[in-house]
Amino acid sequence: NGIQNWTGWQKYRTYLIICLFSFLATANTSKFILATSLLEEEFDKSPMVVGYLTCFNILALGVGNLFWVPLMRLIGKRPIILLALPVFVAANVWSSKTHSFNQLLASSVLSGFASTAAEATVGAVVTDLFFVHERGAKLMIFHFGLSCGTFLGPLISAFTIEYSAWRVGCESFAIAAGALWILAALFFRETTYHNRDVYAPVSSYGSRTTFAGKLSLVKGYDDHRNLLRVFCDYIYMITYPSVMWTSVMVATCSGWNTIVQLKSYRSFSESPYNHDTLFLGLFSISGFIGSILAIPIGGKLIDILSNRFTTSHQGTREPEYRLYAFIIPAIIGPMGSLLFGFTIAEKRPWIQPAVGYAMQGFGLTAISNIVVTYVVDTYVEHAAEALTAVFVLRGVVGAVVVLYGDNWLRTAGEKQGFGQMVGVQYFLCLWAIAFLLWGKKIRAFTAWYGPMNRMEHS
């Protein structure tokens, strides 16, 4: 019954359900952005107040990890997914039916909170299912799912608004999540496996689990798990340098992408462009193209480099080997943001900012996967706790950007604002050099305290 005996199909169907949930989660964050003017008119609210719908959804998508990860450690991954999806369905049904702005805001927060379950489980599931030499490519599937939601979500929203109504978009998310729940109930297997004594007789392991046994909701329950210790691990993990750097790096890339998205919506709907809602959704395809191009660079390449460096170092594997591929998206991604900002400020033809957005989408997807894979390799046993810090900070930065990003660009000036963004990104990217040179010493330092110290003495 051990995971090492699962077939490839059994592993992939479990993992792909999480990735599909992640796609719905990120697409869900953008469902109100293109409907801003409609919501302003219907609820008689200012653009700032309507922005709360997206702001607090993104915030809940990040902060919710603080709830779902400890619960996952206690009861397992399967119950988490089967609990969160119905909540997501209910929240979107609530959004589609309510005529109160306060209720719409509450339902938006609830859907963001439920969405977090996918991100909360992914780190632990990947380390459970896949070997170290293939994790880069496997985590890229998850990050591509996030990128699909980020870039295709606005497209889905645009078509819904153009040909139907914003409420239909909420209903569509509810239907999709309901269908995914059925798949999860039938095919999502618990990946938590409590190791047995390898010297125990074979008879003590019992017979192979039946299909009905695989549907159990208690297989991942751990009655020895201390929830207070899990919360304390959060605090310790964020102080680990590699986790801190990864968190800030992912939060910045994601936040800058949000600024680019919001700026494109506002600019292309005004003179001299005057494009309709459908064009605003179609423009996001350029970012999606960039994310597709990032798949081999940010996924398979980091596995190839890691494996080759391991071979050349007599089988000694170090997490830092994956960072050599970081230089490619670290150059292209920020330059894409700069190209977008300068061309949109000068009102150039839409194809020019579209190229910049594609470069930015490439950087977002590749950088996120490389640094997340690095931190998962560094702290395998505590991958979920480490990624909690990453996703919480990403949610906080994203919420702030939705509320104040446009005002910042107006105050600083578009070219100056985007120049500052790129400067911050390049500064953070340069820290990869420090981890390449001294990563092993940094990891040795973190073994002196927190969960890594506890592992050293267990």
Side-chain angles (χ1 to χ4, degrees):
N1 296 316
I3 295 175
Q4 68 272 18
N5 295 321
W6 288 15
T7 64
W9 165 237
Q10 290 172 328
K11 291 182 179 182
Y12 274 106
R13 72 188 184 191
T14 295
Y15 183 48
L16 288 176
I17 287 172
I18 290 181
C19 295
L20 287 172
F21 193 4
S22 300
F23 163 73
L24 291 178
T26 48
N28 182 66
T29 62
S30 62
K31 64 187 177 185
F32 294 126
I33 293 179
L34 294 180
T36 297
S37 59
L38 299 175
L39 294 168
E40 290 174 25
E41 182 179 350
E42 180 174 345
F43 294 102
D44 192 24
K45 300 293 182 181
S46 67
M48 180 78 166
V49 174
V50 171
Y52 292 166
L53 297 172
T54 302
C55 164
F56 290 108
N57 180 281
I58 293 175
L59 183 63
L61 180 60
V63 176
N65 282 277
L66 297 173
F67 171 81
W68 290 111
V69 170
L71 191 60
M72 176 200 71
R73 291 300 192 191
L74 178 65
I75 67 176
K77 291 90 170 178
R78 178 175 163 82
I80 291 297
I81 297 298
L82 295 183
L83 172 63
L85 278 168
V87 176
F88 184 84
V89 171
N92 274 284
V93 171
W94 184 12
S95 294
S96 69
K97 301 300 181 184
T98 186
H99 293 278
S100 163
F101 183 82
N102 289 337
Q103 290 191 32
L104 185 62
L105 179 60
S107 64
S108 181
V109 172
L110 183 61
S111 67
F113 172 76
S115 302
T116 313
E119 295 182 345
T121 56
V122 70
V125 168
V126 167
T127 56
D128 288 343
L129 293 179
F130 303 111
F131 296 107
V132 64
H133 67 273
E134 57 183 352
R135 285 183 191 145
K138 301 304 182 287
L139 273 168
M140 177 51 82
I141 300 174
F142 165 71
H143 280 102
F144 182 65
L146 293 180
S147 294
C148 285
T150 299
F151 298 118
L152 298 184
L155 179 62
I156 296 170
S157 178
F159 271 94
T160 304
I161 294 169
E162 187 74 15
Y163 297 109
S164 187
W166 65 265
R167 295 179 186 275
V168 174
C170 300
E171 294 170 354
S172 300
F173 279 112
I175 293 170
L180 185 60
W181 184 88
I182 295 174
L183 291 175
L186 294 175
F187 301 117
F188 187 91
R189 292 183 61 179
E190 178 59 59
T191 66
T192 302
Y193 184 73
H194 302 295
N195 293 326
R196 300 291 299 273
D197 182 2
V198 296
Y199 299 106
V202 175
S203 59
S204 68
Y205 283 80
S207 59
R208 183 178 293 274
T209 304
T210 63
F211 178 75
K214 295 172 184 176
L215 302 182
S216 171
L217 296 176
V218 298
K219 186 178 178 182
Y221 181 73
D222 184 359
D223 56 356
H224 299 295
R225 181 67 63 174
N226 186 326
L227 293 183
L228 179 61
R229 176 173 288 177
V230 175
F231 278 109
C232 291
D233 286 346
Y234 289 146
I235 307 300
Y236 284 119
M237 294 301 291
I238 193 61
T239 65
Y240 289 177
S242 59
V243 176
M244 185 184 301
W245 175 65
T246 298
S247 302
V248 177
M249 193 77 250
V250 171
T252 303
C253 289
S254 180
W256 285 186
N257 180 74
T258 302
I259 288 181
V260 169
Q261 281 189 322
L262 295 175
K263 184 60 184 175
S264 67
Y265 301 152
R266 292 187 176 96
S267 296
F268 286 126
S269 61
E270 300 171 351
S271 179
Y273 299 106
N274 298 317
H275 289 300
D276 58 13
T277 302
L278 190 56
F279 176 88
L280 303 181
L282 290 170
F283 181 79
S284 63
I285 293 178
S286 58
F288 176 65
I289 293 172
S291 67
I292 293 176
L293 297 176
I295 293 175
I297 303 298
K300 190 63 177 177
L301 178 61
I302 63 175
D303 283 338
I304 293 173
L305 290 176
S306 178
N307 295 335
R308 288 188 176 179
F309 276 110
T310 299
T311 302
S312 64
H313 288 79
Q314 290 76 48
T316 301
R317 184 179 295 274
E318 303 289 354
E320 289 74 25
Y321 295 158
R322 298 188 184 276
L323 293 179
Y324 286 101
F326 185 77
I327 186 172
I328 302 173
I331 293 174
I332 295 175
M335 289 306 298
S337 299
L338 193 65
L339 176 61
F340 173 88
F342 275 51
T343 54
I344 206 77
E346 296 177 359
K347 310 298 182 184
R348 298 287 186 89
W350 67 267
I351 189 64
Q352 296 183 27
V355 171
Y357 195 25
M359 294 168 63
Q360 202 273 339
F362 172 88
L364 169 68
T365 307
I367 288 175
S368 296
N369 192 65
I370 291 171
V371 296
V372 164
T373 305
Y374 168 58
V375 84
V376 166
D377 274 2
T378 304
Y379 303 111
V380 175
E381 297 297 328
H382 298 277
E385 287 77 10
L387 294 189
T388 294
V390 174
F391 295 138
V392 167
L393 187 59
R394 187 196 64 188
V396 172
V397 171
V400 172
V401 162
V402 169
L403 287 183
Y404 303 109
D406 190 57
N407 291 335
W408 170 42
L409 288 179
R410 292 179 187 274
T411 302
E414 291 181 350
K415 289 185 177 181
Q416 291 82 357
F418 276 97
Q420 292 168 9
M421 288 165 52
V422 172
V424 170
Q425 263 191 303
Y426 276 134
F427 172 76
L428 293 173
C429 288
L430 287 173
W431 281 91
I433 299 174
F435 289 102
L436 280 169
L437 295 176
W438 302 296
K440 190 170 184 177
K441 292 182 178 179
I442 293 172
R443 283 185 280 116
F445 168 74
T446 60
W448 286 90
Y449 68 99
M452 299 310 296
N453 178 262
R454 191 168 63 247
M455 286 184 61
E456 287 286 327
H457 292 87
S458 63

